[in-house]
Structure formats: C-alpha cells, structure tokens
Amino acid sequence: MQNIIAAISTPPGKGGVAIIRVSGEGAHELTSRIFRPASGRSLLDYPTRHAVYGYILHRGERIDDGIVTLFERGASYTGEPVAEISCHGGMLISRTVLEAVLAAGATLAGAGEFTRRAFINGRLTLTEAEAIGLLLEAKSEEQIRLTAAPARDRLKKEIEEIRASLTALLGSIYARIDYPDEDLGDFSDEETVSELTRVRADVSRLISTYRTGRAIAEGISAVICGKPNVGKSTLYNLISGEDAAIVTDIPGTTRDVLERSLPLGRVMLRLSDTAGIREGAGDDPVEKIGIEKSREKISSAELILALFDLSRPLDSDDRDIIEEIRGAGGAKICILTKADRDSVLDLTELPDIFDATLKISAKEEECEALSTLSDAINRLFTDEKISTSTDAVVASARQHSALLRAKELIDTAILAYSAGLPQDAASSDIELALGAVAEIDGRAVAESVTDDIFSRFCVGK
Ligand code: GDP
C-alpha cells in the first residue's frame, strides 16, 4: 500500500489562501485527527466533496482556521483518497499546517509525486501528465492552448483510436492463425492491408504535427548576430518586451551571450543575443570569449537572425558575419535594421543565403516590426493549417519518436502482407507497433522514463 503523502500545493509566498494536499489510503482519517469542524462533529461524518469549515490543530493547539474538502478514491486528482486543507496563505502558517499533517503520520511528497500517483492509478495517461507539466510552465497563450484539457483529450483520443485499431487487427490475425479453417478473422488480407494503411495515415498525420508542436512547446533555438551597433540589443529588447540587454552606442557592449525563452507569435524563441563578431575585437579577453561563444551559438542554432544596418554600406565586419553564417545549418532570416534612416546599403551585395529578408525599424510602432518578424518565423517553423484549438498536436520528443517507430513497423507489416509472407511475420510487427503506441500514453514504458518526466514537476503537483 502507498504511504500517505502531503505537500503545500500552492506556490510559496504570501497569498490569500494556501492549499495543503494529503493523498493516500487513510488520508481522510489522518486529516480528521488534526482538523475539528466548527460544528463540533467529526470531519469523517461529512460527505466527500463538501467544504467543511473548522480549526486546524497542531500539538493540541488551534493554529489556524480553514476549510477541508475530502475526495473519495477514484474521484480525486491522484485517484486515492485525498484531503485538501485550505488555510491562510502566509509562508509560516502554511508550513505549520503542513508540519501538523506530517506529525500526524504523512510523509512529504516528492516532486511530481501527486501526478505520478494519478498516472499509476490510471487517472492520467503519460501524454496528459507531460502536457500538465508544460501547462504549469506555460509562457504563451499557444502553450496554454496546446496543453489545456481539450487539447489533451484530443491527443489522448487519437492515440487510443490508433491503439484500438491495431488491437482489432491483431485479434483478427491471431484468430486466423489459430483457426485457419474457420472464417473467424474480421479482416481479409486485402482488408488488413487497407486497414493498416489507414492507421498508418493517422500515425503520419500525428507525426506531421510535431514540428509545429515542438516550436510552440519547446521552442526554437535562435541567435541574433550582426556587427556592433547594428541593432542587436534593440531587437532583443523589442522581442523580450523589456530592457534586458544593454543598448549603447559603444561597439562591443554586449559581451556575454544572453539566453531566454520568449514567446513570439505562435512559437517560443530560445533566443541568444550574441556579442558582435568583428575583426580586431581588441585584446579584451572577456570580449574574445563572448565572440567565441557567439560562433558556437551560430553553428548550433536552428534560426539565425542576421542583422545588417541599412543606413551604412556593407563593410568587412558584415562580410565576416556572412561568412560565419553561410555554412551554418539553421534557417536564416536577413533583418535590415534602421529602416527609418536613409537607405545606403546595396542589397545586391547580400548573398542569396537567406530564407527570408525583412526591414525593421526600432522607431516604428513596436508591434509592426514584431509582427513582420513573427510572420516570417511562423512560416518557417510551423504549419499554419495546424490549430492548437481544434487539432491533436504532438509536442513531446518522446511521443514523436514512439510514433515514428510505430509508423516504420506498420510499413514493415504492410510490406510483409504485400509480399505474401506468413501471417505471423506481419503480426509480430503489428505487435511491436502496438507496443510503441502503448509507450506514448505510458501503458508500457520504462520506469526511468516516467521518473524523468515526473522529476520535472514541482513539489505539490
Ligand atoms: P548592438 O551593438 O548591435 O546591440 O546595437 P544596439 O541595439 O545597441 O543599437 C546601437 C544604436 O543604434 C543604438 O543607439 C540604438 O538606439 C540605435 N538603433 C537601433 N535600432 C535602430 C533603428 O531601427 N533605427 C534607428 N534610427 N536607430 C537604431
């Protein structure tokens, strides 16, 4: 039997209310020992899902008044009997209430332990748990849409349908292997191939959503580069909406690489603002390290925002940047800055290595410069036909790789059928494909994988 766990489930700090969650067999009885309803009755006399007002006791003293709600097994977040104690939201008072619960016999919950129990008790699939993990960290409206309950349900339903189709196929194939003389299978060979092809298309469709899902959830590693004074920090600040980087007129001010996750349109940018790469950076060792780091970032980034100053002719510093990014693997957007000034730069001197080119001015309406950039990035990294409001969208690398495996195995099964190989050759591939799909919702997944997922949650979730 699982022990009773407890933790403060609201964020640390001062607030109106704090909630201490207690979960496990006996959680109701344990809570009734430290909580006296104001009515004088026992907490256990009240029905579940009923808000009961009363006093919280610790070492025989009333330490606070608050409200307790009990949830019965099967109707709580974890699936176990749960008590939720709402007390006053001070740091010390919520910790004292937690201490009272621990003194009554509960153990402190580890990170993500409530959600892990929900998963173990079948209240959540792993896909849903992953989405909840992301929801807690969400920084953009698209991330919220991607991970909120309706989107979680859509993905869960599609994966369940794929699983159900593969299970039905396998059942039919086994029936035909075991009783070849009887007409038991639901599917003929031809029907099996067409059903496999249909399931394969469903799997492929889900796989195709990952590019967009990943850009929204995990984000794209991006780097801003350009010679000193071209407007890198200004752009960085425009995207971040605050003055994070120092904007000055002195070349070489941005010495280190700042990196932050910032929402831009639909996607998240994991954005680095790099030191200006330029020849003769002087002997300043700090600046040299900054430049070295910028080079590394440029070669590994998925997106390079290369800035050129429209108000100045292309010079050797710009050419160095061009050479630096020419061989890099990421998508490249050419951003012509200071569009509010007279245009001097000869655009024909810029090589044809960019996926998009746009002009911006920090002086124009902020939203205009940003929306031009965000449109260009969305076009490069997302599929506009995929909507987080209506589609099932895959956003985790783990789910994506399991789907790819499932698709390959279904392909092999189709080939085996088409080549007229014996039934059991195809059935073992379908069985493995089913295993890959079962990994997605966590029906068959290694403990190390679930450990990794739940360790990313906070205590209290
Ligand atoms: P960095 O060295 O590349 O980071 O360049 P900064 O962002 O620090 O900008 C250098 C100077 O150019 C600052 O004085 C900015 O105010 C100015 N600047 C940046 N963008 C624009 C722009 O679009 N128009 C004009 N007129 N000035 C700009």
Side-chain angles (χ1 to χ4, degrees), residues 23-294:
S23 178
E25 193 56 51
H28 295 180
E29 292 74 11
L30 184 151
T31 308
S32 75
R33 293 200 292 277
I34 61 132
F35 184 79
R36 291 273 174 278
S39 65
R41 290 160 62 193
S42 161
L43 176 65
L44 299 175
D45 291 342
Y46 285 89
T48 54
R49 285 182 271 177
H50 189 99
V52 184
Y53 174 72
Y55 309 103
I56 301 155
L57 311 172
H58 187 31
R59 299 193 191 107
E61 248 185 277
R62 281 185 186 185
I63 49 167
D64 197 8
D65 56 338
I67 287 176
V68 169
T69 315
L70 302 178
F71 299 86
E72 73 264 33
R73 173 192 307 288
S76 68
Y77 181 68
T78 57
E80 301 171 332
V82 163
E84 283 186 2
I85 308 170
S86 307
C87 63
H88 286 100
M91 285 276 261
L92 189 62
I93 184 64
S94 52
R95 246 187 279 151
T96 313
V97 174
L98 175 64
E99 260 172 43
V101 174
L102 298 180
T107 31
L108 188 63
E113 204 172 344
F114 292 104
T115 312
R116 178 196 284 276
R117 288 192 175 191
F119 166 64
I120 291 170
N121 293 324
R123 300 284 295 170
L124 283 177
T125 64
L126 208 52
T127 327
E128 290 174 297
E130 277 174 317
I132 290 172
L134 183 60
L135 180 61
L136 296 179
E137 305 278 330
K139 291 197 179 95
S140 71
E141 281 178 24
E142 270 292 81
Q143 286 188 333
I144 291 176
R145 256 179 246 123
L146 180 72
T147 52
R152 295 202 297 267
D153 287 347
R154 282 193 293 274
L155 186 59
K156 179 178 169 182
K157 187 164 158 276
E158 291 218 6
I159 289 165
E160 269 174 10
E161 279 170 8
I162 291 170
R163 217 176 54 81
S165 304
L166 290 174
T167 309
L169 268 170
L170 260 187
S172 157
I173 293 169
Y174 286 147
R176 288 165 66 195
I177 292 175
D178 291 344
Y179 306 100
D181 301 330
E182 293 174 45
D183 189 19
L184 283 180
D186 297 330
F187 301 101
S188 67
D189 275 3
E190 263 170 34
E191 283 165 345
T192 304
V193 171
S194 82
E195 178 65 0
L196 277 173
T197 312
R198 189 189 63 73
V199 178
R200 183 190 182 281
D202 287 346
V203 174
S204 292
R205 194 164 33 76
L206 272 184
I207 290 173
S208 72
T209 63
Y210 177 59
R211 199 171 73 96
T212 305
R214 183 180 161 274
I216 296 169
E218 190 186 313
I220 300 153
S221 65
V223 65
I224 299 180
C225 63
K227 69 183 174 192
N229 248 357
V230 68
K232 296 183 296 298
S233 305
T234 306
L235 178 65
Y236 186 93
N237 292 346
L238 198 63
I239 296 174
S240 71
E242 51 190 84
D243 285 343
I246 319 151
V247 182
T248 63
D249 281 325
I250 311 153
T253 323
T254 316
R255 295 175 158 214
D256 207 350
V257 181
L258 302 169
E259 185 175 284
R260 276 173 62 190
S261 273
L262 301 165
L264 182 65
R266 291 187 86 184
V267 309
M268 288 301 289
L269 288 188
R270 284 184 282 112
L271 185 64
S272 307
D273 171 29
T274 66
I277 294 178
R278 63 198 176 101
E279 282 296 308
D283 297 324
D284 185 341
V286 181
E287 199 173 320
K288 278 194 170 150
I289 294 170
I291 291 173
E292 204 36 56
K293 277 198 199 162
S294 314

